[in-house]
Amino acid sequence: MSLTDLVDLLGRDFMQRALLAALLTGLAAPAIGTFLVQRRLALLGDGIGHVAVTGVALGLLTGTSPTWTAVVVAILGAILIEVIREKGHTNGDVALALLFYGGLAGGVLITGLAGDGAAGLQVYLFGSVTSISSTEVWTTAALAAVVLALTLGLLPQLFAVASDPEFARVAGLQVRFYNLLVAVLAAVSVTVAMRTVGLLLVSALMVVPVATSQQVARSFRATLVAAMALGGIAAVGGLVISAALSARATVAPGPSIVLLALAMFAATWPLGVWLRHRRRLHAPFPSDSDAPHLTSGEHHDHVHGDDCGHPAVEHGDHVDYVHDGHRHAPHGEHYDEH
Ligand SMILES: [Zn+2]
Ligand SMILES: [Zn+2]
Ligand SMILES: [Zn+2]
Ligand SMILES: [Zn+2]
């Protein structure tokens, strides 16, 4: 396809709608994904995506909008996952796996009953944003706007709960409510991203841009903003790539968006390695320190940073963070106590 053909294609009404939907998806998915990564729930979006397949199938079977049935089922699935997770059973991950397989298998079965077969579902599994109707674009846009408004509007509360639940509880925040809210917003993001990236790849758009921006950004807010920018670029860029290839082959936009996001991660990774190396050189731990570091073996869920909310204390040539009444400093993968 020549450049003029591509520009012509991008100017068409359906492509303009597709580009708008892709951009909004690319902004909203990493925004909520940043909180999932912070809470070490990177694959939550993937689980919700599998459950949402049943929602889409119910829409196809009953002749209602698959977007709305997917939203309802995805939210119910997200709440169920959050409740199972909160119970903290030892085989909570088995319960989740059963839910994911049930969602996918049930969805494929119901789609078959609806007479649509695999073709009807494929649009939702791998995305097909170019066939999106204008009603669906406005639904997608409205849902994405809700996700972005709530995520950015409640940023301080959501961050406090995601980074340090004990600290947030002591500070009087409704930890349970905000955890559920993040799960519900993740479910809505999955539905928003459904037509662009597809349900089976949606988690990649929630996680990969976050992993990329973590390579260079030091604070949580910087990570969030950079992840949104990278997500928007990947979504729009991936869509343009799949459009450019459309003359010779049929390439769903989902895979090209995800591969573009992964390419950005691969390109940033050496920079991240270099930055971490340089930080170590600038803040070495001296062996003759007056307060020697003791390695603490316990698991540390929270990542201390520039604006993590904990008092930072200058100590020699590094920074200690006051957390739960003790002082410690990040050291490679673990924390050292004082
Ligand atoms: Zn150490
Ligand atoms: Zn902290
Ligand atoms: Zn120290
Ligand atoms: Zn700590």
Side-chain angles (χ1 to χ4, degrees):
M1 181 182 284
S2 74
L3 194 61
T4 11
D5 286 347
L6 181 60
V7 171
D8 187 49
L9 177 61
L10 294 179
R12 306 259 201 88
D13 269 2
F14 78 93
M15 260 325 266
Q16 301 269 299
R17 288 201 293 265
L19 286 167
L20 178 66
L23 177 66
L24 290 167
T25 306
L27 294 176
I32 198 71
T34 308
F35 293 98
L36 299 185
V37 171
Q38 172 85 356
R39 283 175 62 193
R40 291 167 195 261
L41 293 174
L43 292 178
L44 181 68
D46 194 44
I48 297 173
H50 282 69
V51 174
V53 176
T54 291
V56 168
L58 287 175
L60 295 174
L61 184 67
T62 56
T64 41
S65 157
T67 306
W68 287 111
T69 49
V71 169
V72 172
V73 174
I75 289 179
L76 291 176
I79 292 174
L80 188 58
I81 291 169
E82 191 55 34
V83 168
I84 293 175
R85 228 182 48 77
E86 199 188 53
K87 296 282 177 222
H89 289 309
T90 36
N91 38 5
D93 61 331
V94 173
L96 295 184
L98 299 179
L99 191 64
F100 300 169
Y101 304 145
L104 186 58
V108 173
L109 186 85
I110 295 170
T111 313
L113 293 178
D116 272 307
L121 202 54
Q122 187 156 356
V123 169
Y124 299 94
L125 292 183
F126 299 106
S128 173
V129 75
T130 45
S131 64
I132 196 166
S133 70
S134 43
T135 324
E136 276 180 300
V137 169
W138 294 122
T139 311
T140 300
L143 290 174
V146 169
V147 171
L148 284 170
L150 284 173
T151 307
L152 300 179
L154 295 173
L155 187 62
Q157 292 92 327
L158 292 177
F159 172 69
V161 170
S163 61
D164 199 337
E166 294 306 318
F167 186 76
R169 196 169 282 123
V170 172
L173 285 175
Q174 295 292 321
V175 173
R176 192 149 185 251
F177 168 78
Y178 287 111
N179 279 343
L180 270 178
L181 183 65
V182 167
V184 168
L185 289 178
V188 177
S189 307
V190 165
T191 317
V192 165
M194 171 170 87
R195 289 304 297 265
T196 318
V197 235
L199 290 171
L200 295 185
L201 288 173
V202 59
S203 197
L205 194 59
M206 300 173 95
V207 170
V208 178
V210 180
T212 308
S213 68
Q214 277 181 338
Q215 297 295 314
V216 285
R218 288 192 74 177
S219 76
F220 181 85
R221 274 178 189 79
T223 304
L224 181 94
V225 170
M228 286 174 66
L230 291 166
I233 293 168
V236 171
L239 179 58
V240 172
I241 291 170
S242 80
L245 293 170
S246 64
R248 262 171 292 152
T250 315
V251 177
S256 55
I257 290 169
V258 170
L259 288 172
L260 185 58
L262 284 168
M264 291 198 276
F265 176 81
T268 324
W269 191 70
L271 182 63
V273 170
W274 179 74
L275 282 174
R276 283 189 291 274
H277 176 69
R278 210 183 56 149
R279 262 171 228 154
R280 268 199 300 274
L281 288 183
H282 280 244
F285 292 96
S287 52
D288 55 346
S289 167
D290 54 333
H293 286 235
L294 298 166
T295 299
S296 78
E298 63 190 316
H299 180 63
H300 197 276
D301 250 338
H302 168 76
V303 180
H304 293 294
D306 290 341
D307 54 359
C308 74
H310 291 111
V313 182
E314 295 275 351
H315 178 222
D317 40 19
H318 64 275
V319 175
D320 288 332
Y321 290 95
V322 182
H323 186 190
D324 289 339
H326 58 105
R327 257 168 68 186
H328 54 195
H331 182 211
E333 296 289 354
H334 62 272
Y335 277 75
D336 287 344
E337 297 290 340
H338 283 177

